[in-house]
Amino acid sequence: MTITSNDLPKALGLDNEFLAAFYQPIIAMDTRKIAGYEVLGRACSEEGSVRSLGPFFGDASVADEDHIAVDRILREQAMSKLSENDSPPLLFINLKPNWIQRYSDAGELYTLSLIDKYGIDPRRIVIEITEEAFHGSREELRKVIDLYRSRGCLIAIDDVGSGFSSTGRIAHIQPNILKIDMHMIKRSGTHDGYLGALRSFSALAEQIGASLLAEGVETREDLERAIEAGARYVQGFLFSRAEPEFQAVHRFAPLLEEELDAHLRKHLLSEQYWQQQSRQLAAQIDLMVQEQGYYEHKDVWIRELLPKLQDNCIRVYLCRDDGIQLSSNFSRITDQEWRQEDEFRGANWSWRPYFVPNLVQLSELRPTIVSRVYTDLESHAWIRTISVLAGPGLILFADIKAPDTD
């Protein structure tokens, strides 16, 4: 079917141009292959010029009907192309929540009709819910999304970390894929707060059974951050801009394999460093016990330990195995000076997520456990906690500032 400029919204500003669906590859970390493509709109000329339709779709002054009319042309082009592929990739289709709700009310879901028309496996279609100022009913939106899901389509939420994609909406929709806002990837490189938020979305994805997709990956540093955040998929100009054709599935495998290998080596060194730190601490405690036994007053016992601790240890305290803190907190002020905080004696730490798993694992055969890196509540530094089985029913916790290798 040929679409002429006269049939299309004037806001497109077509000048002897035609509409074409372009495809930006999405690469999977596990296979190192192109797993799918995001469908993007372009206006092309016979002379070879190409311009993005992003400004058109982002223009709030354009009626939804005009946006949808253009998007449907692009969607059908993409579905037709997908149907010709013997091993079809995932196809990410961008849909705004207001579009979904508008046409579900009329009992019409155009994407599902295209799936039937072209005989496409719906499991290859990802319905990507894009960011917009949406004020409709969550329940109605969820019902429509569930229709797509019931047919076998996957669900993705775009721009995670922005307004629409709050954790409440994410939990309500229960998507298969979370697309991390590209600005968060960028800012995480220089701002610990954004890095912490990025890691929290990784944990959220893990908890709800979703995969993380990092978009806007433009540099090696971006890719490194995406890997550290636990992204399963990556997308961005580092790999490819949107192209009119699908690409060879292994095209970007060497780049990914090189970066994954560097990531593995870096983190092996980091974990070896932490294991060494924990073994040294355990050895110091063993030596103290052999020489002095356990003081009845636990604060006195810890004071004997303080001079032996590494300079990057910022806090140390002793607990029973039921989580009750027996000692004061000892927090480092300077290299040689510590502050004793008596008010923490008697606190119960069994509610901390790491406490019970560590308690189960600690034994004479495994006397130390190292936590994952996290942000300290007081200093806001990135730290890890080393748990040491100090004696029968006694666990010593040492908070260690994490080096740059984390």
Side-chain angles (χ1 to χ4, degrees):
M1 179 176 61
T2 301
I3 305 294
T4 67
S5 298
N6 293 332
D7 300 318
L8 295 168
K10 300 299 182 186
L12 273 172
L14 295 182
D15 183 15
N16 294 318
E17 296 169 306
F18 59 91
L19 295 182
F22 273 46
Y23 310 92
Q24 186 172 37
I26 293 167
I27 303 96
M29 294 287 187
D30 47 0
T31 65
R32 285 91 64 212
K33 298 178 183 178
I34 294 174
Y37 294 88
E38 180 176 359
V39 180
L40 299 169
R42 298 291 184 262
C44 306
S45 72
E46 297 294 345
E47 291 73 31
S49 67
V50 177
R51 65 180 175 89
S52 170
L53 297 184
F56 167 75
F57 285 114
D59 189 345
S61 68
V62 177
D64 278 351
E65 289 81 359
D66 289 344
H67 282 156
I68 292 168
V70 173
D71 184 74
R72 286 185 168 192
I73 295 169
L74 300 170
R75 248 185 288 172
E76 180 151 14
Q77 288 181 13
M79 293 284 199
S80 175
K81 185 176 186 63
L82 191 71
S83 69
E84 298 168 358
N85 199 300
D86 292 335
S87 300
L90 295 172
L91 203 63
F92 285 66
I93 305 292
N94 295 303
L95 295 178
K96 294 184 177 182
N98 282 338
W99 298 359
I100 293 174
Q101 193 161 32
R102 176 187 294 256
Y103 285 92
S104 69
D105 292 344
E108 178 186 7
L109 291 176
Y110 188 66
T111 300
L112 294 183
S113 70
L114 290 177
I115 287 173
D116 293 336
K117 178 179 178 178
Y118 289 100
I120 292 170
D121 182 350
R123 292 172 298 179
R124 309 315 296 164
I125 302 301
V126 182
I127 303 299
E128 186 173 322
I129 312 301
T130 61
E131 166 66 18
E132 71 167 2
F134 176 68
H135 304 293
S137 163
R138 281 191 187 185
E139 290 301 327
E140 289 301 316
L141 180 62
R142 171 62 190 259
K143 286 179 183 176
V144 181
I145 289 172
D146 282 346
L147 287 176
Y148 286 110
R149 203 190 319 262
S150 68
R151 285 290 304 272
C153 298
L154 302 179
I155 307 298
I157 291 184
D158 193 16
D159 291 336
V160 169
S162 61
F164 167 74
S165 54
S166 68
T167 52
R169 288 187 188 272
I170 291 170
H172 192 69
I173 291 174
Q174 292 182 296
N176 304 98
I177 296 170
L178 299 181
K179 292 191 74 173
I180 296 295
D181 178 27
M182 61 183 295
H183 300 298
M184 183 171 289
I185 294 285
K186 296 288 188 188
R187 291 168 181 165
S188 71
T190 56
H191 193 295
D192 284 347
Y194 283 98
L195 179 58
L198 195 59
R199 284 171 166 162
S200 75
F201 283 120
S202 176
L204 173 63
E206 186 178 272
Q207 290 297 311
I208 65 174
S211 297
L212 216 58
L213 192 164
E215 63 178 347
V217 176
E218 298 180 350
T219 66
R220 289 273 191 150
E221 290 74 21
D222 292 343
L223 179 56
E224 181 183 358
R225 287 285 177 179
I227 294 171
E228 288 177 353
R232 182 181 183 184
Y233 302 107
V234 285
Q235 171 186 3
F237 292 166
L238 176 63
F239 306 101
S240 175
R241 295 177 181 271
E243 299 288 346
E245 300 296 335
F246 294 163
Q247 303 180 44
V249 293
H250 292 287
R251 179 179 174 183
F252 307 108
L255 172 59
L256 263 190
E257 287 171 355
E258 183 180 336
E259 199 61 45
L260 285 168
D261 183 61
H263 171 79
L264 178 62
R265 285 186 280 108
K266 173 184 174 180
H267 285 274
L268 278 174
L269 287 174
S270 175
E271 292 307 314
Q272 288 167 357
Y273 164 84
W274 284 105
Q275 290 304 316
Q276 181 185 29
Q277 291 277 301
S278 67
R279 286 194 294 268
Q280 287 177 356
L281 184 57
Q284 290 163 350
I285 292 173
D286 284 345
L287 185 60
M288 283 182 61
V289 171
Q290 291 170 16
E291 292 177 349
Q292 304 170 4
Y294 296 106
Y295 285 97
E296 184 175 344
H297 196 316
K298 301 303 184 292
D299 287 352
V300 175
W301 188 78
I302 289 184
R303 280 200 173 278
E304 293 289 328
L305 177 65
L306 295 179
K308 301 178 176 64
L309 296 176
Q310 299 278 353
D311 292 343
N312 57 350
C313 180
I314 64 171
R315 187 181 301 109
V316 63
Y317 53 98
L318 192 70
C319 289
R320 287 200 312 248
D321 58 8
D322 61 359
I324 300 299
Q325 184 165 332
L326 299 177
S327 72
S328 302
N329 268 11
F330 288 84
S331 299
R332 188 185 292 276
I333 302 174
T334 66
D335 288 348
Q336 304 297 325
E337 188 178 1
W338 294 78
R339 179 176 61 250
Q340 181 172 332
E341 299 165 325
D342 298 336
E343 65 270 21
F344 286 94
R345 198 181 297 120
N348 189 331
W349 300 110
S350 62
W351 58 272
R352 295 302 296 266
Y354 61 78
F355 189 87
V356 172
N358 283 11
L359 181 63
V360 170
Q361 295 180 64
L362 283 171
S363 67
E364 291 184 6
L365 295 178
R366 190 180 184 187
T368 67
I369 298 288
V370 181
S371 77
R372 296 174 65 178
V373 66
Y374 64 98
T375 303
D376 181 49
L377 291 173
E378 295 185 20
S379 68
H380 299 290
W382 289 106
I383 66 170
R384 292 205 193 195
T385 296
I386 296 178
S387 309
V388 181
L389 187 63
L394 296 175
I395 303 172
L396 184 111
F397 293 98
D399 294 337
I400 314 291
K401 190 176 292 186
D404 293 338
T405 52
D406 278 296

